[in-house]
Amino acid sequence: MDPSDRHRRATPDVPLCALSRRGFVGAAAGTVLFGCGGGKWKTKPVPATEGTVELELKDFPELATAGGMAAVLPAGMRKPVIVMRLEGDQFRVLSSRCPHIGCVVRWDNEKQLLRCPCHGSEFADDGKLIKGPAKQGLQVYPNELWGAKVRFSVREG
């Protein structure tokens, strides 16, 4: 690819191995991720029972260590959610849906933040709004580590 084309693209392909610990989350925001070897990692559909999702950690080896992340699409939702492994037994689950008009946010590797490709809203890796036109941050879903499962509740906004 011509280096000048890189700046014209709204969402550059992000090698997962190049992300910082704070920066890992954004790579999961799209429905297809690109790994270090160039392979594609698609958002994984997962079941949801009455809005509750339980992810078996053994099925998501990328969530085994801090800095790991996965993009999943709970049954009944139109946009993926981003599940991140933080330090220890802590997780963060964010909606990938921009609250401005509903586009799926993407990771900006240069700025280390989530960006909406539609109108440029920017969000920190914890979902907080950095720059509009969105008026609020990304939805954060409550979650807990329940045995060997990450359990979270989702509601489509």
Side-chain angles (χ1 to χ4, degrees):
M1 166 180 18
D2 176 10
S4 64
D5 288 342
R6 192 174 80 117
H7 298 291
R8 287 184 224 142
R9 295 175 57 201
T11 57
D13 299 342
V14 178
L16 295 175
C17 59
L19 299 178
S20 68
R21 179 169 282 180
R22 285 189 50 84
F24 70 88
V25 62
T31 58
V32 177
L33 304 176
F34 296 87
C36 300
K40 293 180 182 179
W41 178 34
K42 294 184 180 183
T43 300
K44 184 175 182 178
V46 294
T49 303
E50 295 181 15
T52 298
V53 176
E54 292 182 358
L55 301 181
E56 292 272 357
L57 288 176
K58 68 178 176 58
D59 296 335
F60 294 88
E62 59 270 44
L63 296 175
T65 59
M69 53 80 197
V72 299
L73 182 63
M77 292 190 72
R78 294 169 291 194
K79 308 283 177 158
V81 297
I82 304 160
V83 181
M84 301 172 279
R85 177 74 180 251
L86 307 176
E87 296 295 328
D89 290 338
Q90 300 297 308
F91 290 83
R92 179 177 296 137
V93 182
L94 298 173
S95 173
S96 66
R97 181 185 181 277
C98 178
H100 179 230
I101 62 168
C103 298
V104 174
V105 297
R106 306 278 197 278
W107 184 247
D108 182 322
N109 200 36
E110 288 182 27
K111 289 189 171 186
Q112 296 287 295
L113 52 74
L114 292 159
R115 177 186 307 239
C116 180
C118 295
H119 296 106
S121 292
E122 296 179 349
F123 306 89
D125 65 1
D126 63 0
K128 291 186 177 147
L129 178 65
I130 295 172
K131 175 183 137 192
K135 302 280 189 225
Q136 62 190 41
L138 300 173
Q139 184 170 352
V140 179
Y141 297 104
N143 69 86
E144 64 182 338
L145 183 61
W146 193 54
K149 299 177 184 180
V150 177
R151 178 187 237 183
F152 57 94
S153 178
V154 294
R155 298 286 182 258
E156 190 73 91

